[in-house]
Amino acid sequence: MTNVRLTIRTLPELPYGAKYRCVFGSAEPIDAEVTEFGLSCPTPEIHKRPSIPPKMDHVLVPLSVRSSETNKDSSPETSPITTAASIDFMGNALGLSGPNPTHLSNHGFAYCPQFKKRDVILLPNNVLKEIVFEVKNLPHPQPGHTGFQCIIVIEGATMLVPARVDGKNIIVCDKTTYSYEANEGNTASVRVVWNRIHHVDSINVTLYK
């Protein structure tokens, strides 16, 4: 069975016991798995898929996501059943990264959380340093969430650094000492998340001695 990967930013938390479900056309809803990139949905069994018309090599099926709590669909996206779909959640609204059949005003990548500037960031080796990001469309964690964190990968080693909100749109990774073994400059990746699993944005930074 093929899995459809849905890339979703700032996936809203559901109440305890509730699940996200994927609905392919008129097929029965299928429980989705929450992943670090959004959702993963198993496709319907072969006998539950629509027939492919004569002289065609595929069929398009409306794909929507619903909560088991409300049992109501988010805005659907038409996607080939054999390929991955891509959607974006912004708060409690669904914006499609492809066609916008429902003409949502907050449609598309521009409304998702992201770094406002992508300037070169330099981090000195073995020096206590904050990393500061200005963020557009900054999400607001709900009560019970763990807030923001910075996930930093240097030479294959991963660090989870607490982060805080400064003002309305600034994320600050707490002061931390970063080090690497190579003799020359090195590159590290920094990913900002909230509630540990919801992606805000990522960028590469330069370490130097």
Side-chain angles (χ1 to χ4, degrees):
M1 185 179 294
T2 303
N3 281 352
V4 172
R5 168 175 167 159
L6 303 180
T7 302
I8 302 172
R9 296 192 175 195
T10 62
L11 184 68
E13 288 286 312
L14 293 179
Y16 178 78
K19 297 180 179 180
Y20 280 108
R21 289 174 173 165
C22 292
V23 184
F24 294 85
S26 58
E28 289 293 318
I30 300 174
D31 287 349
E33 177 187 356
V34 177
T35 67
E36 63 177 355
F37 53 77
L39 294 175
S40 178
C41 301
T43 54
E45 297 176 9
I46 298 294
H47 69 278
K48 294 182 179 180
R49 300 181 188 181
S51 300
I52 297 176
K55 299 183 180 180
M56 298 288 290
D57 61 1
H58 68 281
V59 61
L60 296 180
V61 177
L63 169 59
S64 57
V65 176
R66 71 173 56 164
S67 161
S68 62
E69 180 192 28
T70 62
N71 221 28
K72 293 181 179 180
D73 293 349
S74 300
S75 301
E77 176 177 11
T78 299
S79 172
I81 198 169
T82 56
T83 62
S86 177
I87 60 176
D88 297 312
F89 264 98
M90 280 71 71
N92 291 319
L94 175 66
L96 306 181
S97 59
N100 186 17
T102 52
H103 305 289
L104 296 173
S105 61
N106 58 350
H107 164 272
F109 176 76
Y111 292 90
C112 294
Q114 57 193 283
F115 298 148
K116 190 171 183 179
K117 298 179 180 179
R118 307 195 72 85
D119 299 334
V120 175
I121 297 176
L122 300 176
L123 295 178
N125 186 58
N126 283 325
V127 175
L128 202 62
K129 188 78 172 178
E130 291 181 339
I131 308 177
V132 180
F133 299 103
E134 186 176 4
V135 181
K136 295 169 56 179
N137 308 313
L138 186 66
H140 301 286
Q142 302 300 311
H145 289 180
T146 56
F148 292 90
Q149 299 87 31
C150 299
I151 301 174
I152 301 167
V153 180
I154 303 174
E155 294 183 330
T158 300
M159 305 171 60
L160 182 62
V161 178
R164 68 181 189 276
V165 178
D166 189 357
K168 293 183 178 180
N169 62 343
I170 301 295
I171 294 291
V172 181
C173 306
D174 286 356
K175 285 186 177 180
T176 304
T177 299
Y178 304 99
S179 62
Y180 64 100
E181 299 297 329
N183 293 325
E184 299 180 355
N186 207 338
T187 299
S189 66
V190 180
R191 184 162 74 100
V192 176
V193 299
W194 62 278
N195 203 31
R196 294 187 180 270
I197 59 173
H198 301 312
H199 178 82
V200 174
D201 206 343
S202 59
I203 193 172
N204 288 336
V205 300
T206 300
L207 297 164
Y208 68 94
K209 293 182 177 179

